[in-house]
Each structure stands twice: as C-alpha cells, then as structure tokens.
Amino acid sequence: MTGFLRHRFVAFCIAGLALCLLALTLSVSIGSTRIPAGTVWAIVAHKLGLVAVTPDWTEGRQNIVWDLRLPRALLAAMVGAGLGMAGAVMQGVTRNPLADPHLLGVSAGAGFGANLAILLLGNLLGAFTVPLFAFAGALTATALVVSVAGFTRSTGSTRLVLAGLAVSFVIAAGSNVLIMLADPRAINSVVFWMLGGFGLAQWNNLIFPAFALLFSGAVFLAYAQELNALSMGDESAATLGVDVRRLRILMLTISAFLTGALVAFSGMIGFVGLMMPHIARLLIGGDNRRVLPASALLGAIFLVLADLVARRLTAPNDMPVGVVTGLVGGLFFIVLLARQRG
C-alpha cells in the first residue's frame, strides 16, 4: 500500500466513522418523539456510567433511547457492515461484479426457516424461534450449495453462482408452498420478515450478530491478500501458491455464515452487498485490505439511514427497510448493468 493510498484510506476511515456516528445519532434522535442529540448521548453516557451525569430527562425518553432506538440503530449498522463485507468477498471469489450474498441461496434458506417457524411452529423456543430457524435454514442452504458444487465439480467462479441460484429456486419454491398452505392471518408476519426490518431489535439479541461480524471480518481480512491474487484469475492465483478451490469454498462458507447470522435477526435485506463494494472500490481502489473495511463502513451508514427513511415515510407505522434498499439497489443495479454493457 503506497503512502498516498494509505493516507487516503486513513482519511476515508476517519470520515466514515464520523458519518456513521452522525447516522446513528440521527436514527436515535428522530422519530415520533424527537429527542435532542445532546440528550441522546447524555442518556447513553449515563447508562454506560462513562461520566457523572445528572438526569434532566424523563423516564419515558430514556426508555425510548436506550431500550428502543439505540438497539435498533446498532443492529442496522451491524447488518449493513456484515452484508457489505460479504458482498465484497463474494464479488472477489466469483469475479462477478453483480454478485452479492443472496446469490448463494442464503437468503432463500433463511426465508424458508423463518416461514417454517412463523407459520407452523409458533413460539416453540420463545423469542429466538424465528432467528434460530432462519439461521439454520441459511446454513443448510449453504451446505446444499457446497455439496452441489462438489458433486458436479463446479467450483469455478461462474458455476458456483449457478449452483447457488439453482438451490435458491428450489428452496424458494418450498417457501411458497408453506405460504400457500398457511393460515392467512399469519401471512402479514411472513411478508414483513421477508422484506426486512429492525423493529424487534433488543439488547439481548445483538450479541450473536456482533460475534458473527467480528469473527467473519477477522477471517476475511486474514485472507485479503489471497483474495487480491484470486482477482487476477485462478491460474495466476495458483501460480502464486494460493489453493484456489479451498479459498473459494472457505470464503463462500464464511460469507454465508455471516449473512445467515445477520438475516436471522433482521429479515431479508437485498442489494447492500451489491452496492457497497462497488462504491468502496470507486473511492479507495481495489485492494481488499482496504475494500473490506470500507464496505463495512459504507454498509453500516447506508442501512442506518435507510432504516431512518423507512420509519419516517410511513410514520407512525414501520415500512420494511427492504423496500427502501430494493428501490435504491434496483436503480444502482440498472446503472451497473449499463456500465457493464461493453
């Protein structure tokens, strides 16, 4: 990394962290009850015991900030960061600029697990029933894709994507059957979950997404150099000593693990993994040592702001955040296709 690029990346990180903090502040401050930013951070400092603050706010405002809005904003940031990194990795290992985490059928698997829990099982395991079944569905879908790829010897970049699409179609058909046979009164819950949202965020369900994000991010960064080599082609990477097949399967599996862990708590949210890596490469170059953390920062900022927009557009009701990301992502996808037409 040259000195100029290093300084540019450091400046990007400082600006990104500042924007992320601003986005979190806006998300917690703005709502049906507006709370000044100073009060928001005073409440946070008071709850964390960082400074001695004499409370001059109502108990209701404290509950809104600490119990409702802050966990929601943090979950949005974690999901955005994770999907951004997973998208960067998938585009790297498949060498497909249109790839994102959903291509492996992870979201379809998570959707099937969530539908199964919502429509047939109810609160079998309490509040964690839907997240656990969604996560299990995501991992099962990943295992199926890896198995299909291994069975057909389809470990090349294009054929792995095709294996993921095939498994995704099969699982989506199963989800549609569940919906058709379900009680119509439960359909609204399924539709909202499949469009994504953070309305059920609580402090006790932030632990697992945070662990998945930190673990997966560490693995991705550890293999960033190998991902750079893979971007030059399988033969070139093998010449440099990279075990291409092992690297591709490992990265896709960790990407699926991360996506499944996040989707299990947020519902299905598309296009974040497609957009953020492209914007990151445009701003700071193509080195994955920089693209991965940059994609995480951009994803966190984007999804926190998208959730804020979703909340305000139909206030006091919640619009699924997937509607906002789908609109923005669809337009981005069209622009990207137009740039790739040559």
Side-chain angles (χ1 to χ4, degrees):
M1 190 184 298
T2 65
F4 171 75
L5 289 177
R6 184 181 295 110
H7 292 147
R8 185 176 180 180
F9 177 62
V10 170
F12 171 86
C13 288
I14 293 172
L17 289 171
L19 287 174
C20 188
L21 187 62
L22 176 61
L24 288 170
T25 302
L26 291 174
S27 179
V28 178
S29 177
I30 297 175
S32 55
T33 300
R34 290 181 176 266
I35 302 174
T39 303
V40 167
W41 289 110
I43 292 172
V44 173
H46 173 70
K47 295 294 289 187
L48 295 177
L50 298 177
V51 293
V53 179
T54 301
D56 59 352
W57 52 80
T58 65
E59 187 72 18
R61 284 195 167 191
Q62 178 170 298
N63 291 336
I64 290 173
V65 170
W66 187 255
D67 296 326
L68 297 178
R69 294 183 186 170
L70 186 57
R72 177 174 183 148
L74 291 176
L75 180 60
M78 286 190 286
V79 172
L83 293 179
M85 282 198 298
V89 169
M90 285 196 62
Q91 289 170 15
V93 298
T94 63
R95 297 199 305 279
N96 185 340
L98 303 181
D100 78 348
H102 300 283
L103 277 180
L104 277 187
V106 178
S107 293
F112 181 84
N115 290 344
L116 187 66
I118 294 171
L119 300 176
L120 300 182
L121 301 178
N123 290 323
L124 181 66
L125 302 174
F128 285 91
T129 304
V130 173
L132 285 175
F133 273 81
F135 178 59
L139 288 187
T140 302
T142 304
L144 286 172
V145 172
V146 173
S147 299
V148 170
F151 176 74
T152 60
R153 301 184 184 274
S154 302
T155 54
S157 59
T158 302
R159 293 192 177 187
L160 272 171
V161 174
L162 294 177
L165 287 173
V167 171
S168 178
F169 289 144
V170 172
I171 296 176
S175 294
N176 292 335
V177 171
L178 285 178
I179 293 173
M180 287 180 59
L181 299 177
D183 186 338
R185 292 173 294 183
I187 300 300
N188 287 337
S189 298
V190 171
V191 170
F192 188 88
W193 189 91
M194 293 183 72
L195 291 175
F198 307 106
L200 301 179
Q202 299 175 3
W203 285 108
N204 59 3
N205 59 24
L206 297 184
I207 298 174
F208 187 66
F211 166 77
L213 179 62
L214 293 174
F215 169 76
S216 302
V219 174
F220 291 154
L221 288 173
Y223 285 91
Q225 288 280 42
E226 285 84 351
L227 288 172
N228 288 339
L230 191 61
S231 67
M232 297 184 292
D234 289 8
E235 292 184 2
S236 299
T239 302
L240 295 173
V242 177
D243 186 337
V244 174
R245 183 178 184 277
R246 176 181 173 275
L247 176 65
R248 183 167 282 130
I249 295 299
L250 175 63
M251 290 295 97
L252 291 177
T253 301
I254 298 297
S255 297
F257 162 73
L258 175 59
T259 305
L262 299 175
V263 167
F265 289 88
S266 67
M268 297 168 64
I269 299 173
F271 290 107
V272 178
L274 171 69
M275 295 187 290
M276 298 307 118
H278 284 282
I279 299 173
R281 294 187 190 100
L282 182 65
L283 294 174
I284 47 89
D287 189 337
N288 283 293
R289 293 173 296 175
R290 301 190 301 270
V291 169
L292 287 167
S295 298
L297 263 178
L298 291 170
I301 295 167
F302 171 73
L303 207 49
V304 170
L305 293 178
D307 181 54
L308 175 60
V309 170
R311 284 194 289 120
R312 298 308 300 156
L313 281 178
T314 57
N317 299 317
D318 260 6
M319 174 189 291
V321 70
V323 174
V324 177
T325 62
L327 176 61
V328 177
L331 295 174
F332 184 91
F333 191 79
I334 293 171
V335 173
L336 195 59
L337 283 174
R339 292 186 61 187
Q340 295 291 325
R341 67 184 183 272

